Amino acid sequence: MPSAATRCNRGGSISTEPRINDRIRVPEVRLVGPSGEQVGIVPLAKALELAQEYDLDLVEVAATARPPVCKLMDYGKFKYESALKAREARKNQAHTVIKEMKLRPKIDPHDYDTKKGHVVRFLKQGDKVKITIMFRGREQSRPELGFRLLQRLASDVEELGFIESNPKQDGRNMIMVLGPHKKKTEAMAEAREAAAARKADRQGRPAEDDEAPAAEQAPQEAAESAVATTLENTVPEAAEETVDAPVGDEVSDASEVAAK
């Protein structure tokens, strides 16, 4: 005999999709037309006949109603549009995230600037920031050091965030929460716009780089043409001078004169 768990799992998982066409098992339905018009309560056979006539699907949109509400539609197109809407909703969905930044009361100025830079980045992204001051040893007797440090940090980033939770002592730590002025959705939209602008800038840069060498080559080509023109004007004159050089007997006469 099968166990209780086996009997419970025999039916499989419950489908969340609506029933369509022949899967609808009721004698009559309240029918809605393709354009949203109310047809009224009709027998199931009549509704299936109308769906076949319009070349559409009969989809059960309200199963708990009495009688169930069904609509004539293209179910494949409906599922595709629903998936697109769900994807867009997930893209624009913002999750509240709390970042944490830990500091010491006697923090070095350079380390403070680094930590502050992280806080600024978190606030620009639309996230909350939990600032924790950690006290050790005798520092626990000087809580005002941590309080002044938190107030300083809050004043440095007041353009991006505000104090959502005032500083309070929690054992050896002092905690303060900063909230961003911008909502998460606004920060995400600005980040997408900035990314698109950078991408467009990168795509437009090669064209400018191609134009620059062409502009640099123009003066060089003009200089080369000027040099070529100069050579053309001077070469014939040199050729004429070489033709007038003494040849034959005149050369021997000149050598004899030189010998005498």
Side-chain angles (χ1 to χ4, degrees):
M1 185 175 180
S3 61
T6 305
R7 290 197 301 271
C8 292
N9 296 330
R10 183 178 297 172
S13 59
I14 299 176
S15 176
T16 58
E17 294 186 359
R19 294 183 295 181
I20 62 173
N21 299 331
D22 295 335
R23 297 181 181 179
I24 302 174
R25 303 293 186 182
V26 291
E28 57 184 11
V29 296
R30 186 180 297 276
L31 187 62
V32 179
S35 302
E37 67 275 10
Q38 297 289 335
V39 178
I41 299 175
V42 297
L44 178 61
K46 178 65 175 177
L48 291 173
E49 183 180 348
L50 289 174
Q52 187 174 6
E53 180 180 347
Y54 284 105
D55 194 18
L56 295 173
D57 298 311
L58 182 66
V59 183
E60 189 178 50
V61 295
T64 57
R66 293 291 179 268
V69 180
C70 297
K71 184 177 180 180
L72 298 175
M73 67 173 71
D74 186 347
Y75 186 59
K77 181 180 179 181
F78 171 74
K79 287 186 66 176
Y80 176 73
E81 292 177 350
S82 300
L84 285 182
K85 290 179 181 178
R87 187 185 307 168
E88 190 67 22
R90 287 194 301 269
K91 180 196 276 187
N92 297 327
Q93 188 176 6
H95 299 282
T96 302
V97 179
I98 299 180
K99 304 289 187 177
E100 185 175 9
M101 188 60 57
K102 296 182 178 181
L103 300 90
R104 295 292 307 279
K106 298 179 181 179
I107 187 171
D108 184 77
H110 178 73
D111 294 340
Y112 172 80
D113 293 337
T114 303
K115 300 280 188 178
K116 185 181 71 173
H118 293 315
V119 174
V120 168
R121 178 166 54 87
F122 294 150
L123 293 175
K124 284 183 178 180
Q125 293 174 355
D127 297 325
K128 296 181 180 180
V129 186
K130 176 183 176 183
I131 311 297
T132 303
I133 304 295
M134 301 179 296
F135 296 97
R136 292 182 181 177
R138 296 183 179 180
E139 294 176 349
Q140 299 181 43
S141 61
R142 301 289 302 278
E144 65 275 7
L145 296 177
F147 183 81
R148 285 200 296 265
L149 183 59
L150 291 176
Q151 292 295 327
R152 174 188 173 190
L153 181 59
S155 63
D156 289 345
V157 299
E158 62 182 357
E159 296 181 357
L160 300 174
F162 61 95
I163 299 178
E164 185 173 293
S165 177
N166 291 320
K168 61 180 180 180
Q169 192 77 22
D170 184 14
R172 295 185 177 183
N173 301 329
M174 183 174 288
I175 299 172
M176 179 183 70
V177 178
L178 296 175
H181 291 309
K182 293 181 181 179
K183 295 182 179 179
K184 184 72 173 179
T185 52
E186 296 176 359
M188 292 171 61
E190 291 182 359
R192 286 196 295 268
E193 291 177 0
R198 288 194 299 269
K199 182 178 180 181
D201 188 21
R202 287 196 300 269
Q203 291 177 351
R205 190 173 300 168
E208 298 176 357
D209 295 342
D210 294 341
E211 294 175 358
E216 293 177 357
Q217 290 175 0
Q220 184 176 358
E221 293 176 356
E224 292 176 355
S225 63
V227 172
T229 304
T230 305
L231 292 175
E232 290 176 359
N233 295 332
T234 56
V235 168
E237 296 178 358
E240 292 176 359
E241 293 177 357
T242 56
V243 170
D244 294 338
V247 294
D249 298 334
E250 295 179 0
V251 174
S252 59
D253 295 341
S255 60
E256 293 175 359
V257 172
K260 290 179 180 180

